[in-house]
Amino acid sequence: LDQSAAAIFLAAPDRTIRHANARAIEMFAKDGKTLRNLSFSQLHVDQHTYEAFGAYYETLRRTGQVRLEHPLRDARGQVRWFDVHGTLLDLDRPDADVIWTLIDTTERHQAETALAAERVRLTAMVDRFPSGVWVGDERGRIVMINQSLCDLLEINDLPARLVGQPQHTL
């Protein structure tokens, strides 16, 4: 387990850490200190995210496993995003210890956030552009269209309602 690229924890039913692999210690232990007996609340961004994470325990106890994406604070206090998979250690005991496997997805999460911000900026530019703009995809569907083009082509519909429609509807 210590050779894994994933951070792996064994957690007690009270959400304290019983064991952490080398990757988990590297990512979350401050000054090389142990994570043993540490409450998972110490790794969460704040009390709200800790409580929100706790809600997943119902699914975990009922089905034996749960998977989600969740932010945690690393040893330096930086917020990082993780693909989190929890599995009951003993499927016959819903109140048993839990094995948590965490894969760092921070870079993907940051890229998706940056892409969404750029899309908002591009949409604002297209909306304000003084001439008609129409962007289609490879399937022949409208991806973006502005009001100027709708006015030019005398289309009596809102640009937002045209997105996703086949281009031949214009």
Side-chain angles (χ1 to χ4, degrees), residues 60-87:
L60 175 66
R61 303 285 182 213
R62 190 177 73 254
T63 65
Q65 64 180 345
V66 67
R67 188 169 192 169
L68 62 137
E69 189 169 66
H70 193 77
L72 296 170
R73 286 200 185 277
D74 66 15
R76 297 181 321 224
Q78 301 295 313
V79 175
R80 302 198 61 81
W81 283 87
F82 295 90
D83 176 16
V84 180
H85 184 246
T87 306

Side-chain angles (χ1 to χ4, degrees), residues 84-123:
V84 180
H85 184 246
T87 306
L88 289 176
L89 183 61
D90 182 349
L91 294 175
D92 294 329
R93 292 188 39 230
D95 61 340
D97 289 354
V98 178
I99 300 169
W100 291 106
T101 305
L102 289 73
I103 305 288
D104 192 335
T105 59
T106 303
E107 288 180 10
R108 180 185 54 82
H109 194 268
Q110 289 170 341
E112 288 172 354
T113 301
L115 184 60
E118 288 305 313
R119 183 168 177 84
V120 168
R121 286 181 44 187
L122 177 61
T123 301

Side-chain angles (χ1 to χ4, degrees), residues 144-165:
M144 287 183 172
I145 189 168
N146 68 359
Q147 187 62 52
S148 296
L149 184 63
C150 289
D151 294 345
L152 182 68
L153 298 177
E154 298 179 353
I155 298 171
N156 294 324
D157 208 343
L158 296 173
R161 290 179 37 162
L162 296 171
V163 171
Q165 298 298 318

Side-chain angles (χ1 to χ4, degrees), residues 1-141:
L1 294 178
D2 281 335
Q3 301 305 315
S4 176
I8 302 172
F9 294 95
L10 177 63
D14 67 356
R15 297 172 70 185
T16 58
I17 299 169
R18 288 193 194 271
H19 178 75
N21 74 344
R23 180 70 174 140
I25 292 167
E26 176 187 320
M27 292 178 83
F28 296 105
K30 295 177 182 170
D31 301 323
K33 294 181 180 175
T34 183
L35 294 172
R36 189 173 182 82
N37 297 323
L38 183 74
S39 170
F40 267 105
S41 66
Q42 302 297 309
L43 304 182
H44 284 270
V45 173
D46 53 31
Q47 188 62 29
H48 173 73
T49 60
Y50 177 69
E51 291 169 7
F53 190 88
Y56 290 100
Y57 270 80
E58 180 182 330
T59 302
L60 175 66
R61 303 285 182 213
R62 190 177 73 254
T63 65
Q65 64 180 345
V66 67
R67 188 169 192 169
L68 62 137
E69 189 169 66
H70 193 77
L72 296 170
R73 286 200 185 277
D74 66 15
R76 297 181 321 224
Q78 301 295 313
V79 175
R80 302 198 61 81
W81 283 87
F82 295 90
D83 176 16
V84 180
H85 184 246
T87 306
L88 289 176
L89 183 61
D90 182 349
L91 294 175
D92 294 329
R93 292 188 39 230
D95 61 340
D97 289 354
V98 178
I99 300 169
W100 291 106
T101 305
L102 289 73
I103 305 288
D104 192 335
T105 59
T106 303
E107 288 180 10
R108 180 185 54 82
H109 194 268
Q110 289 170 341
E112 288 172 354
T113 301
L115 184 60
E118 288 305 313
R119 183 168 177 84
V120 168
R121 286 181 44 187
L122 177 61
T123 301
M125 287 174 31
V126 166
D127 288 345
R128 291 181 179 87
F129 197 73
S131 295
V133 177
W134 159 23
V135 178
D137 67 11
E138 66 281 351
R139 295 182 331 219
R141 301 218 175 262

